[in-house]
């Protein structure tokens, strides 16, 4: 039996090739190899546009930043799909349009709005907020407040940290605030909380989720709930929960938890769409 012949490396496998004249070519020279290679190893030099998708196509109620008047006495969701948000009881002067678009919120002043009965059942939902907070002190961004319970969930920013928790303090998840303008997305799934965030134009980070289901919270949040924007309730005396920010868009999936790995591409596409189409007209 003939012995195996020693393998000799071809010049092309060493990053070298021969020109038509037979001379070796250096690594800086261009040459072609007639070999099929997997697509994954090829460099993609094309300019791709991030995928965009309307929030309405993904089942969200979209409170879009399109206010023309200086004083905002209502916030009607896009295409009328959802509950209209009106000023809360302490908001006597009305919310104000920010010069750069969206609604302006000022520390210790209640200019919040509420969409009463925005969630008919509070077992599962997702809420996304596009906001700007140069001081890192937006305080209350949104609240899900049940109609018949003494507990609620609120999204708060303080000292540059975003926290999603219940009022009783039984469960909380927190992440650093990314550079704003940014998105923060919070979700609730039968006693478990989740939160994720990213600056505008960037993909959302993987969500941070509470480690265990909370049956007591699940009981507290049964039934319908109101969506408060920029405040926590109709109460007048909790001014320390009111910070400085600009809220541009609020998206609500009132009966769906979409902050999952399987829905990540869709959720990011919705954020890109709102960024480009959600500006004031």
């Amino acid at each position: 039996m003939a012995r195996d012949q020693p393998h000799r490396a071809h010049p092309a496998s060493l990053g070298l090739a021969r020109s038509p004249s037979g001379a070796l070519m250096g690594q800086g020279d261009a040459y072609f190899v007639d070999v099929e290679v997997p697509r994954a190893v090829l460099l993609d030099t094309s300019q791709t546009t991030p995928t965009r998708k309307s929030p309405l196509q993904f089942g969200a109620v979209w409170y879009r930043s399109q206010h023309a008047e200086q004083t905002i006495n209502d916030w009607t969701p896009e295409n009328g799909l959802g509950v209209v948000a009106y000023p809360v009881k302490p908001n006597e002067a009305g919310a104000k349009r920010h010069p750069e678009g969206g609604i302006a919120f000022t520390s210790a002043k209640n200019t919040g709005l509420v969409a009463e009965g925005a969630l008919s059942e509070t077992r599962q939902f997702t809420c996304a907020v596009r906001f700007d907070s140069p001081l890192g002190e937006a305080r209350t961004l949104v609240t899900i407040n049940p109609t018949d319970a003494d507990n609620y969930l609120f999204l708060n920013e303080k000292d540059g940290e975003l926290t999603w928790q219940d009022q009783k303090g039984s469960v909380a998840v927190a992440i650093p605030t990314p550079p704003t303008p940014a998105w923060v997305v919070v979700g609730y799934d039968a006693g478990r909380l989740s939160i994720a965030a990213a600056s505008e134009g960037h993909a959302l980070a993987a969500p941070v989720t509470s480690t265990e289901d909370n049956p007591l919270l699940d009981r507290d949040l049964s039934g319908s709930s109101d969506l408060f924007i920029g405040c926590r309730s109709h109460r007048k005396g909790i001014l320390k929960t009111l910070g400085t920010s600009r809220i541009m868009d609020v998206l609500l999936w009132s009966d769906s938890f979409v902050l999952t790995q399987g829905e990540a591409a869709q959720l990011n596409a919705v954020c890109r769409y709102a960024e480009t189409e959600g500006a004031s007209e």
Side-chain angles (χ1 to χ4, degrees), residues 70-136:
Q70 178 64 24
T71 299
I72 300 165
N73 292 314
D74 63 77
W75 198 356
T76 301
E78 191 74 354
N79 289 2
L81 300 175
V83 179
V84 178
Y86 293 102
V88 297
K89 292 177 181 179
N91 181 0
E92 299 174 356
K96 303 298 181 183
R97 183 184 184 276
H98 193 279
E100 298 179 27
I103 300 177
F105 293 91
T106 305
S107 178
K109 185 176 181 180
N110 196 330
T111 54
L113 301 105
V114 58
E116 295 185 341
L119 295 85
S120 58
E121 287 289 338
T122 319
R123 299 299 307 279
Q124 238 186 16
F125 66 85
T126 312
C127 186
V129 182
R130 184 163 69 103
F131 73 106
D132 190 20
S133 176
L135 302 178

Side-chain angles (χ1 to χ4, degrees), residues 25 74 83 112 123 134 137 161 166 176 184 187 203 223 231 266:
M25 299 171 63
D74 63 77
V83 179
R123 299 299 307 279
E137 292 287 340
E161 184 174 76
D166 71 321
V184 55
C231 64
Q266 296 264 51

Side-chain angles (χ1 to χ4, degrees), residues 29 31 39 51 62 80 151 155 180 203 210 218 232 237 240 252:
D29 299 317
Y31 63 98
R39 182 174 295 274
T51 303
W62 182 13
N151 197 7
L155 171 61
T180 62
S210 55
D218 191 33
R232 297 189 188 180
K240 66 180 181 180
L252 176 66

Side-chain angles (χ1 to χ4, degrees), residues 180-191:
T180 62
W183 287 94
V184 55
V185 185
V186 293
Y188 175 77
D189 187 10

Side-chain angles (χ1 to χ4, degrees), residues 178-277:
T180 62
W183 287 94
V184 55
V185 185
V186 293
Y188 175 77
D189 187 10
R192 185 167 294 190
L193 305 184
S194 298
I195 185 172
S199 298
E200 278 190 358
H202 293 75
L204 292 163
V208 173
T209 301
S210 55
T211 56
E212 297 179 357
D213 292 339
N214 188 321
L216 296 179
L217 180 61
D218 191 33
R219 184 192 62 194
D220 286 344
L221 298 184
S222 61
S224 65
S225 290
D226 302 331
L227 168 67
F228 286 86
I229 301 170
C231 64
R232 297 189 188 180
S233 70
H234 287 290
R235 286 182 57 194
K236 188 175 183 178
I238 46 177
L239 300 182
K240 66 180 181 180
T241 67
L242 308 172
T244 299
S245 69
R246 173 169 66 106
I247 293 180
M248 291 85 86
D249 295 279
V250 177
L251 310 177
L252 176 66
W253 290 264
S254 61
D255 57 2
S256 302
F257 180 76
V258 300
L259 197 54
T260 65
Q261 183 177 357
E263 303 284 12
Q266 296 264 51
L267 192 53
N268 282 297
V270 163
C271 293
R272 301 294 81 79
Y273 187 98
E275 289 167 2
T276 55
E277 303 296 332

